[in-house]
Amino acid sequence: MRKEVGGEGEWDPDWERSKEVESGTEKMMEKLVGLAGRVRQLKPMIERTVVSQEFSAAAAAGVGTARSYSLPDLPYDYAALEPVISAKIMEVHHSKHHNAYVTNLNKALDALDKAKDVNEVIALGPALKFHGGGHLNHSIFWTNLCPPDTSQPPSPDSALGKLIAERFGSMDAFVTQFNAKSAAIQGSGWGWLGYDKARKSVEFVALSNQDPLEASTGLTPLLGVDCWEHAYHMQYFSDRPGYLKSIWRCINWQNVEHRLQAAMA
Amino acid sequence: MSTFKLPSLAFEYGALEPYIDATTMEIHLTKHHNTYVTNVNNVLGGPNGAAIKGLSLEAIQRSVSSLDPAIQTAVRNSGGGHYNHTMFWTTLAGVGSANSAPFGDLKTAIESDFGSVDEMQKLFNTTAATRFGSGWAWLCVGDDGKLFITSTPNQDNPLMTGIADKPGTPILGLDVWEHAYYLKYNAARPAYIAAFWNVVNWDKVVENYSTAKSGGTAVMDVPMQ
């Protein structure tokens, strides 16, 4: 698009500038169209993850008849978290480990129904905690995760961003501390970011085995990272720190923020 | 100052196939066990190391419950891990390279204390399968001279008096941390436990039993450097 000024073909700096802007705008339009397409692709996944899974996980853990808890579906394919967490790990973790917790929770509840006396009831305590905790923790975990690099960390002026900064100093400091303390868990356990409703603050807590956060500490779980070897061994072997470093690419911050909103309500 | 050194296996990584795979053996020794050696040496070389300096690895196990809190957790985990794995390697052998069943006094004792070798294995299997999370299952000689089976969490062991639920002298142990079996068995711990019996070095376990009965502990080399 040529524009002549003064009709004599003089060079017009404004026209040059407007041509740059125009071509720049065209490039930006192309990018926006591309982005819009990508957002359209991701939208159902985000919706499923945020809207339906976050609380269907809670539902799966808390609703249904006493002995019919069931394995929740993942909000994504087994391969969706590659290369951070391999498809093989996701498949075994979900269909074998989590599934076993559900099965054994239901078995323990059956046994509870049939308990002949108080001694038998009490004896079932550890199994209910192990398998109930395992079901609960994994249900939360799946919703805390998303495909790599698809979720932005909370902005410093969001509710979550402010609480993290207040408690840990900064997002970076939070991640460093979370990873150091999770790496240091002896044997099997979980690293948690939990919300303290009374103090209106967030805390990091490391727990052993499948001890559930809320029942053990009163904190509301926002984000949990499974540090059992089964969560990473096939891919990272003994390198738990490497697993912890990588997993932050897969944290679904919208889910964490939604959990916080629900806890603060 | 003398520090602990990672022991060598008496067999190739692949010698326990197909029951325990070669890759697991290599990673288990050179990564997991090695980390315990490094960490217990760090305690030795650190400001509070005097409490365990000069102690045998076995004596360190017995000392854990009375250690200074500054080093207790580290010694419990890495000193325990070093003992448990060092002993573990000596009680494994490829098929055909050692006696494949208990014999002699040990066999008699097993039959006396459990009814039969089969019943002892069943109890051991259940104990190993129901150790929740990470830990070890053990066949031990008690203070009363009788055999018993127990399990401990993480890297605890029955030598840790004041810590172990049922203290005693272990003569055979099985690592049930997921890293011990995950690559081949995934979530199927019971299948790993069943397979384990194919690669137990009963010559060594019989020797351990004899030593335990006379007041000693499992016979093993603990290399230093």
Side-chain angles (χ1 to χ4, degrees):
Chain A
M1 181 172 68
R2 216 160 244 296
K3 187 175 178 198
E4 293 192 8
V5 176
E8 286 131 355
E10 270 181 292
W11 175 75
D12 177 18
D14 286 338
W15 176 77
E16 288 292 335
R17 185 81 190 97
S18 76
K19 185 181 162 199
E20 282 176 52
V21 169
E22 191 177 314
S23 100
T25 307
E26 271 166 19
K27 286 198 179 107
M28 194 163 27
M29 284 308 299
E30 277 166 41
K31 272 202 180 131
L32 283 172
V33 166
L35 269 174
R38 183 89 183 104
V39 167
R40 266 197 301 279
Q41 278 177 348
L42 288 173
K43 192 163 176 257
M45 186 162 49
I46 292 167
E47 276 176 351
R48 268 187 303 155
T49 304
V50 170
V51 173
S52 65
Q53 273 301 320
E54 60 187 310
F55 298 118
S56 80
V63 166
T65 62
R67 68 202 68 123
S68 65
Y69 290 100
S70 58
L71 183 68
D73 287 334
L74 295 188
Y76 34 72
D77 291 335
Y78 286 138
L81 308 189
E82 293 262 11
V84 173
I85 304 179
S86 70
K88 178 82 173 148
I89 285 183
M90 291 305 291
E91 182 180 358
V92 177
H93 202 171
H94 177 251
S95 68
K96 302 267 184 287
H97 290 277
H98 187 174
N99 203 23
Y101 290 123
V102 172
T103 303
N104 289 324
L105 172 61
N106 289 335
K107 274 193 192 149
L109 289 166
D110 271 342
L112 189 63
D113 265 353
K114 299 183 173 95
K116 292 193 287 292
D117 58 38
V118 176
N119 281 320
E120 283 190 14
V121 169
I122 292 168
L124 286 165
L128 288 165
K129 183 169 153 187
F130 297 156
H131 301 297
H135 175 37
L136 194 51
N137 296 339
H138 287 87
S139 297
I140 295 169
F141 188 45
W142 307 136
T143 71
N144 282 160
L145 299 172
C146 61
D149 311 319
T150 57
S151 179
Q152 291 300 312
S155 77
D157 44 74
S158 64
L160 180 60
K162 279 191 194 135
L163 288 176
I164 286 178
E166 269 161 27
R167 183 67 187 81
F168 300 100
S170 67
M171 267 304 291
D172 277 350
F174 160 61
V175 171
T176 302
Q177 207 187 125
F178 190 110
N179 285 357
K181 290 187 175 175
S182 297
I185 295 171
Q186 292 300 323
S188 309
W190 288 71
W192 291 101
L193 177 68
Y195 179 68
D196 186 333
K197 286 184 180 174
R199 295 202 171 95
K200 297 191 180 8
S201 64
V202 291
E203 294 295 331
F204 173 83
V205 178
L207 292 173
S208 289
N209 294 338
Q210 295 296 350
D211 293 356
L213 183 72
E214 192 143 15
S216 307
T217 67
L219 298 177
T220 306
L222 302 181
L223 166 63
V225 175
D226 191 346
C227 295
W228 282 59
E229 287 175 326
H230 66 239
Y232 59 88
H233 195 260
M234 283 196 287
Q235 186 176 350
Y236 293 86
F237 305 117
S238 61
D239 187 16
R240 194 194 280 172
Y243 157 72
L244 287 166
K245 191 162 172 229
S246 300
I247 202 170
W248 293 95
R249 291 176 61 196
C250 286
I251 299 305
N252 182 342
W253 289 107
Q254 285 101 317
N255 179 264
V256 183
E257 282 176 299
H258 270 84
R259 289 183 179 277
L260 176 65
Q261 294 302 331
M264 293 192 315
Chain B
M1 178 188 70
S2 199
T3 55
F4 293 105
K5 190 171 144 185
L6 186 70
S8 310
L9 301 183
F11 44 80
E12 305 277 322
Y13 292 135
L16 310 183
E17 294 265 11
Y19 305 106
I20 302 179
D21 60 290
T23 308
T24 292
M25 288 308 295
E26 182 173 2
I27 294 172
H28 204 170
L29 176 75
T30 63
K31 303 261 182 282
H32 294 277
H33 186 176
N34 200 32
T35 302
Y36 293 123
V37 174
T38 303
N39 290 342
V40 71
N41 284 340
N42 284 342
V43 175
L44 267 176
N48 300 294
I52 58 167
K53 220 171 273 191
L55 290 185
S56 70
L57 188 56
E58 163 230 317
I60 288 175
Q61 312 307 305
R62 298 194 199 282
S63 78
V64 171
S65 59
S66 54
L67 286 175
D68 188 312
I71 58 167
Q72 187 182 51
T73 301
V75 175
R76 181 176 178 176
N77 291 321
S78 47
H82 182 31
Y83 183 88
N84 297 342
H85 288 86
T86 302
M87 181 185 160
F88 188 42
W89 308 137
T90 68
T91 57
L92 297 170
V95 173
S97 63
N99 259 293
S100 61
F103 57 91
D105 285 346
L106 176 58
K107 180 162 190 261
T108 310
I110 288 174
E111 285 163 350
S112 165
D113 296 333
F114 298 100
S116 65
V117 172
D118 214 59
E119 280 169 76
M120 181 279 287
Q121 286 177 321
K122 279 205 183 93
L123 180 58
F124 190 101
N125 293 351
T126 306
T127 305
T130 55
R131 165 45 60 180
F132 196 73
S134 309
W136 290 74
W138 305 100
L139 175 63
C140 304
V141 174
D143 284 341
D144 57 359
K146 283 197 184 334
L147 289 168
F148 68 93
I149 286 169
T150 188
S151 74
T152 50
N154 298 340
Q155 294 299 347
D156 290 355
N157 60 55
L159 288 176
M160 294 181 182
T161 41
I163 285 176
D165 271 348
K166 289 194 206 154
T169 304
I171 63 172
L172 173 65
L174 176 61
D175 190 346
V176 293
W177 282 59
E178 287 173 328
H179 66 240
Y181 59 90
Y182 207 78
L183 296 181
K184 183 178 168 73
Y185 295 96
N186 295 162
R189 194 196 281 182
Y192 157 70
I193 298 166
F196 160 71
W197 295 109
N198 292 287
V199 291
V200 170
N201 180 345
W202 286 107
D203 294 338
K204 174 57 80 177
V205 183
V206 163
E207 189 187 1
N208 289 343
Y209 175 69
S210 170
T211 319
K213 287 287 277 183
S214 24
T217 56
V219 179
M220 57 200 218
D221 278 335
V222 180
M224 307 292 290
Q225 60 196 345

